Amino acid sequence: MAKQPRFLEPVPDWTPEEKPTLPGSPGAILHSPPKRLLYFIIGVFVAISAGLSNGFIMANLPAIQGEYSLTPIEAAWIPAVYVMANVSSNLILFKARQQYGLRIFSEIGLVIFIAVLILHLFVRNYEMALFVRFISGLTAAPLSSLGMYYIMQAFKRVDMAKGLYIGLGFQQLGLPLAWIISPALVNVNDWAVLYTFELGLALCCLAMVVSLKLPRSMRIQVFEKQDFFTFFLLAPGFALLCFVLAQGPILWWFDSPKLAYALIASFVLIVVGLVYEHYRVNPLIMTRWLGTKSTLQFILGALLIRFIMSEQSYAAVNFLKTMGMGPDQFVPFYVVIFFGIVAGTLFSAATFSRNTIILHLLFAELLILVACGLDYNLTSDVRPSNFFASQFLVGFAGGMFIGPLLLVGVMSALQHGPTHMVTFVVLFSATQTFGGLLGSSFFSTYQQQRTQTYRAELSSQLNPTNPQVAQRLAIYQKSTASTVNDPVLQQNQEMKTMNQVISREAQVRAYNDVIALNGIFAVFLLMWGGFNIARAKWRGRKETAQA
């Protein structure tokens, strides 16, 4: 039988309505309207700031690569380190919140992050950039929870699920907002502006959470020495898996033995960690619950819905980059995504009920499928404005699905008791992190393979005696004749231009294949979700009839 944890401080005299659902969560105090508004403003600012720091790196990664003279492999480590730290920190975040309080944990993390950013202003090199991203990933996890709880304080207890929806949805605004403001903020001749802005965000967050603190929570003794042994097994296992997914398409899967060694080490560490947890008296991870049918369905569904969201983060964005779009041209593109996420989040919160949770998830999948249909048949003439309708739908789906997905998992975990919440937090974070990484890695690999196939196919069709080919070469000859006099150099330039056109058209076709494949995945996920709903209703009617 599991040992009952002891309280570390006297429990406040809460009414039943004020008592938090779980230790570590703030009390549900009924605040005055002005104070609720302040909680909401602070919560939104903190929630957006949690994702904005990493958003700046993603938006400016090519320029940062140039600043530090990095290879593509080295540049890929910068966002990868953030993800490694973020997914690993969730292993201990929930228990740290229960034992020490979320407020203290978050404030300490912010102070450390501020100190590291100040140091980075003076020490600007690649190694320091990696260290800053690592600390940023550790800080983002408690900061996201902090923003969510501040927003929830702005709602009455009966409406706190709506606050949960808004908090989770607004956390996704960091990336599009970073793309929107980066061109006006970043000066390639003075990168200190970017780091100074990040520092300012962290200082504002710290000032806000210190000025208006969250209500008290129940603090209980939950940490055991065995928890840290589990952490030191699972955290590097997750980190190595992040490394494989981030570097696989760059190093190429079958050309780099280090990917194989990293994958083997990751598998061994994760398996050993889970086996160790399986036989503990008070486990950190409830492995028996992980093996149940309902939990496995949740894992698969959560992983796949984040996977198909890659239609936006990989296909649309990288296609436009391939077509030569720069940061300034992405601003209106991400403005549309920004408002799509806001609209989806507010729609999800406004229509919240127990009966609509699953319907919201299915609707999000349907919107992604529609977006894939709108984006199919790309050409080299496509520009950001051609993606506005589809990416608004994907943004809407992204804002809408995350809240219901979390709520489904929370309700399932609480049915088995509060001890299962740590497992769920790790599970939810892992599915969203690895779902996104897996989507980008898979589609990047698929796109590269299809590009090579189409390039070979197009090249084999180039016959100089073909009138169309000859006409195109003549056009290239005219364009180079004004600058190049040597006939041999002219011919080389013509073939070089032709090869560039072939490469571009091969990539266009490959991205169309990526979008089509993602649409197929969305169809299967939608059918699977509809089947599960129909089966659940049929079983419910059957049980009612038998009763």
Side-chain angles (χ1 to χ4, degrees), residues 304-305 307-309 311 361-362 364-373 443 514-532:
L304 287 178
I305 197 168
F307 181 94
I308 65 175
M309 285 291 293
E311 198 278 340
L361 293 174
L362 290 180
E365 295 163 9
L366 179 62
L367 290 178
I368 296 170
L369 178 59
V370 172
C372 289
F443 286 127
V514 167
I515 291 171
L517 184 60
N518 195 54
I520 293 172
F521 289 148
V523 168
F524 280 114
L525 185 58
L526 188 62
M527 292 172 60
W528 181 57
F531 171 75
N532 286 332

Side-chain angles (χ1 to χ4, degrees), residues 238-288:
F238 288 157
L240 287 170
L241 187 55
C242 289
F243 161 73
V244 172
L245 292 175
Q247 296 285 355
I250 301 173
L251 295 172
W252 202 246
W253 303 99
F254 303 111
D255 294 343
S256 177
K258 68 174 68 174
L259 289 175
Y261 297 141
L263 189 59
I264 293 170
S266 171
F267 178 78
V268 170
L269 288 169
I270 293 174
V271 169
V272 171
L274 293 178
V275 169
Y276 177 74
E277 286 293 289
H278 189 75
Y279 293 102
R280 278 183 60 186
V281 176
N282 296 306
L284 183 70
I285 306 296
M286 300 293 177
T287 54
R288 291 172 177 82

Side-chain angles (χ1 to χ4, degrees), residues 128-359:
M128 191 65 195
L130 290 178
F131 183 59
V132 170
R133 288 309 110 206
F134 179 81
I135 299 299
S136 177
L138 292 177
T139 308
L143 209 58
S144 298
S145 299
L146 197 66
M148 183 179 67
Y149 280 121
Y150 266 92
I151 291 175
M152 291 172 68
Q153 287 297 313
F155 292 84
K156 297 179 181 179
R157 189 179 184 95
V158 293
D159 294 324
M160 277 195 170
K162 296 181 179 180
L164 174 71
Y165 276 33
I166 293 174
L168 287 168
F170 282 9
Q171 285 176 16
Q172 301 180 75
L173 295 176
L175 179 61
L177 189 59
W179 277 92
I180 292 168
I181 65 178
S182 282
L185 178 69
V186 174
N187 184 346
V188 294
N189 297 319
D190 185 13
W191 278 87
V193 174
L194 179 63
Y195 307 134
T196 305
F197 189 82
E198 250 190 298
L199 175 61
L201 283 176
L203 287 169
C204 288
C205 288
L206 182 61
M208 287 180 173
V209 300
V210 169
S211 300
L212 182 62
K213 296 182 180 293
L214 286 171
R216 288 181 59 189
S217 60
M218 294 181 289
R219 291 177 53 234
I220 57 176
Q221 177 70 43
V222 287
F223 270 124
E224 299 179 357
K225 292 180 179 179
Q226 295 95 322
D227 292 336
F228 296 99
F229 182 72
T230 301
F231 176 79
F232 288 120
L233 285 172
L234 294 182
F238 288 157
L240 287 170
L241 187 55
C242 289
F243 161 73
V244 172
L245 292 175
Q247 296 285 355
I250 301 173
L251 295 172
W252 202 246
W253 303 99
F254 303 111
D255 294 343
S256 177
K258 68 174 68 174
L259 289 175
Y261 297 141
L263 189 59
I264 293 170
S266 171
F267 178 78
V268 170
L269 288 169
I270 293 174
V271 169
V272 171
L274 293 178
V275 169
Y276 177 74
E277 286 293 289
H278 189 75
Y279 293 102
R280 278 183 60 186
V281 176
N282 296 306
L284 183 70
I285 306 296
M286 300 293 177
T287 54
R288 291 172 177 82
W289 180 57
L290 285 179
T292 61
K293 184 179 178 181
S294 61
T295 306
L296 290 174
Q297 285 182 337
F298 175 83
I299 293 172
L300 182 60
L303 193 72
L304 287 178
I305 197 168
R306 177 56 70 181
F307 181 94
I308 65 175
M309 285 291 293
S310 300
E311 198 278 340
Q312 182 178 87
S313 59
Y314 177 78
V317 174
N318 281 302
F319 171 80
L320 290 172
K321 287 180 180 178
T322 302
M323 294 300 106
M325 300 298 105
D328 291 338
Q329 293 162 298
F330 274 109
V331 171
F333 175 84
Y334 275 101
V335 167
V336 170
I337 294 174
F338 181 90
F339 284 109
I341 294 173
V342 171
T345 300
L346 296 180
F347 172 83
S348 183
T351 58
F352 162 77
S353 72
R354 284 183 174 270
N355 296 327
T356 59
I357 292 176
I358 302 299
L359 294 179

